[in-house]
Amino acid sequence: MNPAFAKEAARFGLAAEMAAVAGMALALMAILGAVAAAMSPSVSANPASSSPAFPGSPSPLFTNALIPTPVDTPLSVPAYISDHMVLQRDRPVALHGRAEPGRRVVVRLAPEEGSGNGSGSSASGFEWTGSVAAGPEGEWEVEVPARPAGGPYGLTIASEGVRLRLEDVWFGEVWLASGQSNMEWKVDWRIMDREKAVREADRPLIRFFEVPNEVRATPSDWQEQGHWTVAGPETVGAFSAVAWFFARHLNVEHGVPVGILEADWGGTPAEAWTPARPLLELDGYRDAAQGLVDGAAEWEARIEANKRKTELKFERIGSREHAESVFHSQIATGAAPLEPVTLPTQEPLRDFAWLVREIDVPCGPGACAGPGRLVIGDVVQEAFVFWNGDYLGRKDWMDAGIDMMIPEERMRAGSNRVALRVANSWDNRVRVGGPGGMRLEWGDAAVDLQGRWEWTAEAEAPMPDAVRLEWNPSFLYNAMIHPLRRVPVRGVIWYQGESNTDRAAEYRELFSTMIGAWREVWSQPELPFLYVQLANYQATQDGSEET
């Protein structure tokens, strides 16, 4: 482990248990040592109990009733100031928003009616009102006094006849969870023991705020989209798996509400999460960062145009209706010209690659019965499958390859025809075949499907040429981290690294720079920053570029 990283981990006593998730390792974090001491929970809970630690805690609520207010209304707040939010306990919390310049804004925090006020509610007996005049640009900020863990509270924000009412507000532990797909990987994405995790997710004092995936060329000061979601069996599937088990640990072990700000994006490098200014000081990143800073005014139009292309790309990749239309009009009729190709692919194919093969199944009398099985290992990345003229199924990006059963009534002794429509949203490099084999099984018969196929990329329009702007230095920091900087947090959990393996020698300085920059914008020089050390990704091979 890098000595600087080891020192960081030792400071905060991070321990991580690694568990395989769909062929990759996900860390289920446990907070130990200094973190537990720093939290000093003021309310205890029975770790074996799944019941909430606080009297008056709510049943799961699955959406926020307060729609985030547009920034051009007379009174507005960022999206994370909304129903079900968790505020960091034991320290003053600044609430902010926009109003008519010079108008007075009054903020009132009080125990929520019907929450058990006066009969054991942890919010009982505390009421607070603060007010401030909006500045020349309409900005306002008030500071709520430090409160111990507890709730629920109601929060009212009013100015000149406009009144916002927020409900089910708690004080507890707030953490920011960020990184690439390791952190983004959802509970619903085939994690180990998923059903058990869902059954045990009735923990309404855990809330997640998922930051929408966006890119910006300049830092955004306002979080316009998003809402807090209360944990429950119906909602936990959409949460980061790592962040969920982290939050559950805090909630069970320390008996406090937990709020997670989830800002992550699969396949992204650390420089995308780093502000531009410190990147200007790093060799290897200086020129790219300077170019983005100098050309920032031109980027917004490019970002919008690219967003439309990206939406079209994923719409076409995932549309069964579109794939079936192309199959019946171009492939089944023979209208699209086909050329030979050998599978497994030696060189990647491109765009929306259609692959076709006639398969002869030699069945003796009574030898073929029951359903067939189509196996095509390592299909990169998504595919629709057609069998004997009709749709059979879909292989999504989480599956390594195709392994589908074919109903007996659709199998034929003798000639059968399979067609695949494969697309790779990642880099438009389509590969088919590899580990897991390529074969058709039917009863006692098995046919090897390696070898000659036919293919075309001309059956439909090429893949839209969307660019992955989320790889650009600072673009994710600007859009997904900077708008959160005014939210007090206890610390950060981070899981990332694969997208920087090609520049591993630079990662130590880059990552340390990113951590320092985040601590600076949060004005917390000692902000705990917990990260997962990546496991080996591939076997070490002498002379290999991929290890």
Side-chain angles (χ1 to χ4, degrees):
M1 178 184 285
N2 180 312
F5 293 176
K7 181 180 178 182
E8 186 70 18
R11 281 180 68 200
F12 301 107
L14 172 64
E17 296 177 316
M18 303 301 293
V21 178
M24 64 177 287
L26 279 183
L28 308 183
M29 293 185 176
I31 301 303
L32 302 173
V35 171
M39 287 176 51
S40 303
S42 57
V43 182
S44 62
N46 179 1
S49 172
S50 63
S51 60
F54 293 95
S57 57
S59 299
L61 301 170
F62 306 121
T63 60
N64 71 325
L66 177 71
I67 303 300
T69 50
V71 297
D72 57 353
T73 58
L75 179 63
S76 57
V77 291
Y80 50 73
I81 299 178
S82 54
D83 292 348
H84 318 310
M85 70 176 172
V86 180
L87 301 175
Q88 180 58 48
R89 64 169 173 155
D90 299 332
R91 66 178 65 170
V93 174
L95 301 177
H96 67 102
R98 295 172 180 168
E100 292 287 345
R103 300 293 190 182
R104 182 148 298 275
V105 178
V106 179
V107 180
R108 181 175 183 269
L109 182 73
E112 202 161 72
E113 294 181 8
S115 65
N117 183 18
S119 59
S121 168
S122 56
S124 62
F126 175 80
E127 294 188 14
W128 172 86
T129 300
S131 68
V132 66
E137 302 298 322
E139 291 280 346
W140 58 266
E141 178 177 295
V142 295
E143 188 173 90
V144 180
R147 293 293 300 155
Y153 293 92
L155 183 67
T156 302
I157 305 170
S159 179
E160 298 298 321
V162 180
R163 180 177 178 271
L164 306 178
R165 170 69 180 177
L166 282 62
E167 299 177 346
D168 187 34
V169 175
W170 292 73
F171 286 85
E173 291 297 303
V174 182
W175 286 77
L176 171 59
S178 190
Q180 60 178 103
S181 61
N182 317 66
M183 185 63 76
E184 185 182 32
W185 201 272
K186 307 299 185 185
V187 171
D188 263 352
W189 292 358
R190 307 177 189 176
I191 68 166
M192 294 175 61
D193 297 326
R194 173 192 170 278
E195 292 77 11
K196 181 174 184 289
V198 170
R199 286 197 308 271
E200 296 176 353
D202 187 13
R203 292 194 169 273
L205 292 182
I206 299 176
R207 288 96 189 279
F208 272 62
F209 182 94
E210 183 167 9
V211 179
N213 286 359
E214 296 285 350
V215 298
R216 284 185 62 90
T218 56
S220 173
D221 288 326
W222 192 265
Q223 184 65 46
E224 189 168 354
Q225 301 297 323
H227 62 267
W228 289 95
T229 300
V230 177
E234 296 86 352
T235 60
V236 70
F239 298 166
S240 156
V242 168
W244 165 248
F245 290 113
F246 177 91
R248 193 181 72 176
H249 176 88
L250 295 182
N251 179 245
V252 171
E253 294 297 322
H254 302 285
V256 295
V258 179
I260 299 291
L261 299 165
E262 183 183 343
D264 42 35
W265 194 327
T268 54
E271 60 267 26
W273 299 97
T274 306
R277 181 178 56 79
L279 287 178
L280 295 174
E281 305 300 320
L282 293 184
D283 293 338
Y285 300 95
R286 182 179 298 109
D287 292 345
Q290 189 65 61
L292 294 171
V293 170
D294 294 342
E298 304 170 3
W299 270 105
E300 294 311 315
R302 295 171 64 182
I303 288 171
E304 283 304 311
N306 193 71
K307 184 176 181 180
R308 291 191 292 272
K309 290 181 180 179
T310 301
E311 291 170 348
L312 176 60
K313 178 177 77 170
F314 283 101
E315 178 182 328
R316 287 184 57 198
I317 288 174
S319 172
R320 171 181 168 180
E321 181 181 2
H322 176 75
E324 286 190 283
S325 174
V326 174
F327 173 76
H328 289 296
S329 65
Q330 298 293 315
I331 304 301
T333 63
L338 301 175
E339 58 183 82
V341 66
T342 299
L343 297 186
T345 48
Q346 303 303 308
E347 296 295 331
L349 307 177
R350 59 181 171 79
D351 295 322
F352 296 94
W354 285 88
L355 298 111
V356 180
R357 174 155 174 170
E358 298 287 342
I359 306 172
D360 186 61
V361 183
C363 286
C368 294
R373 181 186 179 202
L374 177 66
V375 177
I376 302 178
D378 198 22
V379 176
V380 182
Q381 186 182 34
E382 300 186 45
F384 288 103
V385 182
F386 298 84
W387 184 264
N388 285 336
D390 286 305
Y391 176 80
L392 178 64
R394 179 183 180 184
K395 177 258 178 207
D396 68 23
W397 64 271
M398 286 186 285
D399 296 316
I402 294 169
D403 190 343
M404 294 182 181
M405 303 304 295
I406 306 168
E408 182 175 12
E409 61 270 19
R410 295 186 60 180
M411 294 293 299
R412 302 172 185 161
S415 180
N416 294 264
R417 192 171 196 247
V418 62
L420 314 177
R421 189 255 206 175
V422 188
N424 183 355
S425 66
W426 184 253
D427 60 8
N428 199 23
R429 294 164 61 85
V430 171
R431 296 185 182 274
V432 178
M438 298 180 64
R439 63 190 182 277
L440 173 68
E441 301 172 358
W442 190 20
D444 296 334
V447 180
D448 186 357
L449 299 183
Q450 297 182 95
R452 187 181 188 279
W453 286 58
E454 293 182 305
W455 90 287
T456 182
E458 311 304 321
E460 55 184 297
M463 181 84 73
D465 60 342
V467 180
R468 288 194 172 271
L469 296 180
E470 67 269 24
W471 293 346
N472 280 0
S474 306
F475 271 31
L476 298 186
Y477 169 81
N478 293 339
M480 300 177 65
I481 300 300
H482 193 78
L484 306 177
R485 73 198 185 285
R486 297 170 75 173
V487 181
V489 297
R490 175 69 73 185
V492 178
I493 58 174
W494 175 264
Y495 198 173
Q496 186 271 343
E498 289 89 346
S499 290
N500 287 93
T501 55
D502 59 340
R503 304 177 70 175
E506 301 169 359
Y507 192 75
R508 174 178 182 173
E509 188 175 12
L510 171 63
F511 190 36
S512 298
T513 297
M514 190 199 82
I515 293 172
W518 286 24
R519 287 173 170 168
E520 181 179 345
V521 297
W522 258 275
S523 298
Q524 292 182 243
E526 299 297 319
L527 179 71
F529 202 104
L530 313 182
Y531 62 90
V532 178
Q533 175 85 15
L534 292 186
N536 291 344
Y537 176 52
Q538 294 174 325
T540 301
Q541 300 178 22
D542 292 339
S544 171
E545 294 182 358
E546 295 185 357
T547 58

